[in-house]
Amino acid sequence: MSRELRLPSLGADMDAGTLVEWRVRPGSRVRKGEVMALVETDKGIIDLECFEDSTVERLLVEPGTRVAVGTALALLAGEAAPATQVGSGAEVTAPAVRASPAARVRARVLGVALEGLAGTGLGGAVTLEDVERVARTAAAVPVAGKAAGLRAAIAAAMSRSKREIPHYYVQLTIDFGPAAAWLGAYNAHRPPLERLLPAVLLLKATATAAREFPAFNGFYTAQGFESAAVVNLGVAIALRGGGVVAPALLDADRKPLAQLMPELQGLVERARRGHLRSGEAASATLTVTSLGEEGADAVLPVIHPPQVAMIGFGSVLERPWVVDGRIEVRPVLGASLAADHRVTDGRQGAQFLARIRDGLSKPEAL
Amino acid sequence: MTGSLESRVLALLTEVAPDVDAALVLPDVDFREQFDFDSMDVYNFAVAIHRALGIDVPERDYRELSSLSRCVAYLERARIARTSSSST
């Protein structure tokens, strides 16, 4: 029984991509996680991974072709489940798409996927015009310059966020002293390769807290909010020369620090090389941005739709801090939460931030 | 000797940050200012130095890796210190 390998949406506002290269041929046996094709998107080249073992029957799209999300790229033989899936994020079941009957017929004819399409009709329903617009865009837009394409993708996602998501913000200043001391001792007797960056502690503390506060970890769609079964922690990665991408560290809450560090290193490297994997490109269930050593106290993030929260960390800075009624100099960290008011309120947000603080106060338990 | 160390450091630098043009690196300007070096770049740089030159730069000395001239001077000192300690 054959089924189609379709182009998945690899970002909130991705509606098309260019097939750059096939890594398989008809007859190829592919294993789960193997790269089947390279697809160029606004976020750079994405390695399209196979989601389960199967055999390639036929390739349907020539390299160099720009196709809409949902277009069949190849025919596969194997198990009955879909061949590609966008990371574990797809464990959040996709709701049925609202679309007019005319739109559905036209979408089938033009090969446009209704899933993930932003409808302009009543209640967000996809209309005939929506389908034709996407089909036109997919056919006509040339592959833009990398930086311009990325900037346009950021603009689209952030504009949608500010248009649709009623953000609220909560801030908390955290004593980073215990974490810094623990990290210094951990790194002191280890070779460079095995050392940890402070960012890894921040990510693990956030991921662990997210497991306990599922209302901040998941997706908001036309059907409302649904929390995710996993914590795929998006990491905002600044690219040299401008732009930012936020691929995910999969199952970040369940991995030890010594495993998260090389995974973060690999993620940053792939992001900067413009070569992310399909499983990590758009599967984040909650995202973290960390300003590192830039020197700002705090950052107030803009939520990446369809996610419902984002954590921002400022730089670790030495500041006066009151301990037992006395003032001491301590390394402190400004933590911020931007969250979706359709799902949670400030009180829960404050509790979520406090849980992250508690995690950082006992770094040995992370 | 310093000349060859400098070219090796430059090679490691461009390995860590492939988008950096070795010919355009200003020796006395902080890497962070020149090409947005961040803590992950410094981590990768220290790992590369350890692997290629056998010098284990402790974390407290990472600030010595902040520019080309500072880095070369530091590694030169580290090399001399290692040679003299191994000969005694």
Side-chain angles (χ1 to χ4, degrees), chain A residues 124-156:
Chain A
V126 176
T127 65
L128 180 62
E129 284 78 9
D130 292 333
V131 171
E132 292 189 325
R133 190 186 62 241
V134 169
R136 266 199 313 275
T137 315
V141 176
V143 179
K146 238 179 212 168
L150 179 60
R151 181 52 57 193
I154 294 169

Side-chain angles (χ1 to χ4, degrees), chain A residues 24 49 88 97 117 130 176 204 212 258 270 272 297 329 337:
Chain A
V24 295
E49 298 168 293
S88 313
V97 179
L117 224 163
D130 292 333
F176 198 66
K204 184 64 190 289
E212 292 172 38
R270 288 191 295 279
R272 293 197 166 145
D297 287 346
V329 175
L337 164 75

Side-chain angles (χ1 to χ4, degrees), chain A:
Chain A
M1 186 184 66
S2 63
R3 65 213 145 72
E4 294 169 336
L5 164 73
R6 291 168 176 274
L7 178 64
S9 175
L10 301 166
D13 288 270
M14 168 178 163
D15 48 26
T18 302
L19 185 95
V20 176
E21 184 187 326
W22 280 110
R23 287 289 172 88
V24 295
R25 287 183 299 190
S28 297
R29 294 180 63 91
V30 278
R31 300 206 154 274
K32 178 183 172 181
E34 206 174 306
V35 177
M36 298 190 68
L38 304 187
V39 177
E40 173 145 29
T41 72
D42 293 334
K43 293 178 181 172
I45 307 277
I46 306 277
D47 293 348
L48 192 61
E49 298 168 293
C50 186
F51 193 70
E52 58 167 29
D53 300 356
S54 41
T55 303
V56 179
E57 280 191 356
R58 196 146 60 89
L59 304 180
L60 303 173
V61 171
E62 289 289 320
T65 314
R66 189 171 168 88
V67 292
V69 166
T71 304
L73 302 174
L75 288 180
L76 305 174
E79 312 296 314
T84 62
Q85 196 171 339
V86 180
S88 313
E91 282 170 28
V92 177
T93 47
V97 179
R98 298 183 63 169
S100 69
R104 286 187 192 280
V105 173
R106 194 80 184 123
R108 257 201 309 278
V109 172
L110 293 174
V112 170
L114 295 172
E115 290 80 16
L117 224 163
T120 58
L122 203 62
V126 176
T127 65
L128 180 62
E129 284 78 9
D130 292 333
V131 171
E132 292 189 325
R133 190 186 62 241
V134 169
R136 266 199 313 275
T137 315
V141 176
V143 179
K146 238 179 212 168
L150 179 60
R151 181 52 57 193
I154 294 169
M158 296 300 98
S159 301
R160 179 181 156 200
S161 174
K162 284 289 185 171
R163 204 165 48 236
E164 296 177 4
I165 303 176
H167 288 62
Y168 72 87
Y169 304 93
V170 181
Q171 279 188 284
L172 181 67
T173 305
I174 296 173
D175 176 9
F176 198 66
W182 182 85
L183 198 60
Y186 182 96
N187 287 342
H189 59 276
R190 282 181 168 79
L193 185 64
E194 292 172 25
R195 290 176 197 157
L196 303 176
L197 287 176
V200 176
L201 295 187
L202 304 181
L203 294 170
K204 184 64 190 289
T206 304
T208 311
R211 197 173 47 205
E212 292 172 38
F213 288 83
F216 296 95
N217 182 62
F219 300 132
Y220 194 97
T221 63
Q223 270 61 43
F225 174 70
E226 197 165 347
S227 64
V230 294
V231 181
N232 291 336
L233 199 59
V235 185
I237 298 168
L239 306 181
R240 261 184 274 282
V244 60
V245 292
L249 283 173
L250 306 182
D251 300 311
D253 58 322
R254 294 195 220 145
K255 292 173 179 167
L257 296 171
Q259 183 182 349
L260 282 177
M261 180 62 207
E263 291 198 7
L264 176 65
Q265 192 273 343
L267 198 66
V268 172
E269 201 248 315
R270 288 191 295 279
R272 293 197 166 145
R273 202 155 44 90
H275 226 294
L276 288 167
R277 297 170 183 162
S278 54
E280 65 198 9
S283 59
T285 54
L286 168 70
T287 296
V288 170
T289 183
S290 172
L291 292 186
E293 295 145 44
E294 295 304 319
D297 287 346
V299 52
L300 298 175
V302 180
I303 300 165
H304 202 99
Q307 294 165 47
V308 296
M310 185 156 168
I311 295 285
F313 292 108
S315 304
V316 174
L317 302 164
E318 295 211 319
R319 290 283 185 268
W321 190 258
V322 178
V323 185
D324 298 330
R326 292 199 338 274
I327 293 173
E328 284 184 18
V329 175
R330 287 282 175 101
V332 304
L333 171 71
S336 315
L337 164 75
D340 188 333
H341 231 323
R342 294 172 300 184
V343 184
T344 56
D345 303 313
R347 186 184 162 86
Q348 291 157 277
Q351 290 167 344
F352 183 33
L353 275 187
R355 184 62 197 87
I356 293 173
R357 176 200 57 202
D358 294 346
L360 290 171
S361 71
K362 296 185 199 70
E364 66 282 356
L366 285 175

Side-chain angles (χ1 to χ4, degrees), chain A residues 187 193 195 240 265 272, chain B residues 38 41 43 56-57 59 62:
Chain A
N187 287 342
L193 185 64
R195 290 176 197 157
R240 261 184 274 282
Q265 192 273 343
R272 293 197 166 145
Chain B
D38 63 11
D41 294 312
Y43 166 86
D56 182 346
V57 181
E59 198 180 36
Y62 278 5

